[in-house]
Amino acid sequence: MNVLFISISSLSHLSQHSISLDLLREFKKNGHNIYAVCSVERKQNTDTYVSEEAGCKVLRVKTGNNKQANIIEKGITNLLLPYMYISAIKKYFPKVKFDLVLYPTPPVTHVNTVSFIKRRDNAKAYLLLKDIFPQNAVDIGMMSKTGIKGLIYKYFRHKEKKLYEMSDYIGCMSQANCDYLLEHNPRIQADKVEICPNSIEIQDMTVTDEERDAIRNKYEIPLDKKVFVYGGNLGRPQGIPFIIDCLKKLETNTDAYFLVVGDGTEFKKLEAYFENAKPMNMKLMKRIPKEDYDKMIAACDWGLIFLDHRFTIPNFPSRLLSYMQAGLPVISATDPSTDVGKTIEENGFGFMCESNDADAFVSCIEKALMADTSEMKRKGFEFLNQNYTVERAYNTIIKRITE
């Protein structure tokens, strides 16, 4: 079977590990021919090209800037992206007949590219619903349903509905995602919606005591503290003002150390707090290479998840899997719409609170400092193996398209 994967991001080399690349390699392992289309942003000064990576063909299309671009540039890039992709597919894969198209959101503008492949090749289309846009942008004030911004919202909402209608199957991150999608989109056939969450090719990322000490020394992280790490995007979705409120309340905690690693549109707000407060039990770092990051978090004690409390859509952050793979229990501070905290707490590998109550977060930290984490780590890794493997995701998708 010829499988086409469409992504707006600049994919890493397909031999590396990520939720998308691990899944593609699983398809390849099971005998399918894999083709991927992704972007090369203008700022990288590289023209469109095709490469062979891990036995898969990857078409990297020169596009406008998207990551860490202003909202106007990002919007224009996303509007033009499908036309650039269609043109590139026609030029570089002219004789390939695709049987299956896989595509994660964002963006909803995938609809044009996927519709083209469906019409041309009579392919099946499977949507991996990672984000629910444009409602997520409305929730955190980046878009509005009224005024001029309301026109933009209506355009993208129309595209979103078309994407759901055109997709043969929709894989959601969790049950809350499925419920939300069907409740707010009554025209979707319920039988084409299912749970197909983020998944990874699980590696043993645990470290020995000696490795742990060496890693902590490398990054100047105390050896005698419980280390709580947040790693990933630092933008509006994470609710940076709430994170800062929590850190302020924890500045005098002598048993805990807080490590924040990442970048994003709101990084400077965190940087300003660290420069002004100069907290002794905290460290802020820019994003580091994924291999180094995975080793770093394995040398920590707890993983942290933050989501802005204004969200009405049920996000399910992929960084949870990185923490679980590294053997870390997790504290989740989120909006009440998502079920990620419920999943963590009910299955015994962490604690949850809402992200509008900094005192509740402090209480979670205090519970974590007192907890015996050995059983939590075991339960988390066991839950990871039962629910978030690429083998499970692959079988879910294949079962659907071969029914």
Side-chain angles (χ1 to χ4, degrees), residues 329-349:
V330 183
I331 294 174
S332 167
T334 70
D335 57 89
S337 299
T338 182
D339 53 354
V340 64
K342 183 179 177 182
T343 298
I344 291 166
E345 199 159 79
E346 288 186 352
N347 291 284
F349 57 95

Side-chain angles (χ1 to χ4, degrees), residues 160-373:
E160 180 193 17
K161 290 178 180 177
K162 293 287 288 182
L163 185 70
Y164 298 153
E165 181 183 336
M166 177 267 301
S167 300
D168 294 298
Y169 306 106
I170 303 174
C172 296
M173 297 295 99
S174 68
Q175 187 59 52
N177 274 243
C178 293
D179 295 342
Y180 181 96
L181 188 66
L182 293 171
E183 179 185 347
H184 291 84
N185 300 275
R187 293 180 62 180
I188 297 178
Q189 297 169 265
D191 62 355
K192 75 176 189 181
V193 176
E194 64 186 348
I195 297 175
C196 186
N198 289 321
S199 60
I200 56 173
E201 184 180 88
I202 297 174
Q203 309 167 77
D204 183 3
M205 297 303 299
T206 55
V207 294
T208 65
D209 291 343
E210 292 77 13
E211 289 170 330
R212 167 189 170 277
D213 290 353
I215 293 166
R216 289 198 182 190
N217 284 329
K218 176 181 178 180
Y219 295 105
E220 299 180 337
I221 300 168
L223 301 180
D224 60 342
K225 308 288 185 187
K226 292 285 186 183
V227 178
F228 296 79
V229 60
Y230 171 85
N233 187 47
L234 294 167
R236 287 199 195 180
Q238 285 66 51
I240 302 302
F242 173 75
I243 295 177
I244 293 172
D245 287 345
C246 292
L247 294 178
K248 285 179 178 177
K249 287 181 175 290
L250 290 159
E251 286 176 1
T252 58
N253 191 306
T254 56
D255 298 314
Y257 191 85
F258 299 91
L259 179 63
V260 181
V261 187
D263 54 29
T265 57
E266 306 292 288
F267 180 87
K268 288 190 179 300
K269 289 183 180 179
L270 270 168
E271 191 173 45
Y273 160 69
F274 273 81
E275 287 177 355
N276 291 330
K278 295 181 173 54
M280 300 298 293
N281 61 338
M282 302 175 191
K283 185 181 183 74
L284 175 66
M285 294 176 58
K286 278 280 193 179
R287 187 185 297 271
I288 60 176
K290 186 176 186 306
E291 186 176 345
D292 294 335
Y293 168 74
D294 287 341
K295 290 179 181 177
M296 174 191 280
I297 65 171
C300 298
D301 298 290
W302 283 81
L304 301 175
I305 288 175
F306 293 102
L307 286 172
D308 193 295
H309 196 265
R310 293 173 292 174
F311 276 123
T312 63
I313 59 150
N315 291 295
F316 207 94
S318 60
R319 67 183 51 83
L320 172 65
L321 277 60
S322 298
Y323 296 151
M324 296 168 76
Q325 182 174 244
L328 303 188
V330 183
I331 294 174
S332 167
T334 70
D335 57 89
S337 299
T338 182
D339 53 354
V340 64
K342 183 179 177 182
T343 298
I344 291 166
E345 199 159 79
E346 288 186 352
N347 291 284
F349 57 95
F351 305 122
M352 64 175 284
C353 67
E354 289 192 22
S355 53
N356 64 345
D357 187 345
D359 288 328
F361 181 79
V362 172
S363 294
C364 285
I365 296 294
E366 290 170 350
K367 282 196 294 183
L369 290 170
M370 299 293 291
D372 179 355
T373 58

Side-chain angles (χ1 to χ4, degrees), residues 6 10-11 51 60-62 67 73 75 90 96 128 133 156 171 205 215 220 237 251 262 314 372 384 393:
I6 302 173
S10 303
L11 295 176
S51 60
R60 300 182 184 275
V61 183
K62 184 177 181 179
K67 271 193 173 181
E73 184 177 17
K90 287 178 178 179
V96 183
L128 299 163
F133 176 87
F156 282 115
M205 297 303 299
I215 293 166
E220 299 180 337
E251 286 176 1
D372 179 355
L384 175 68

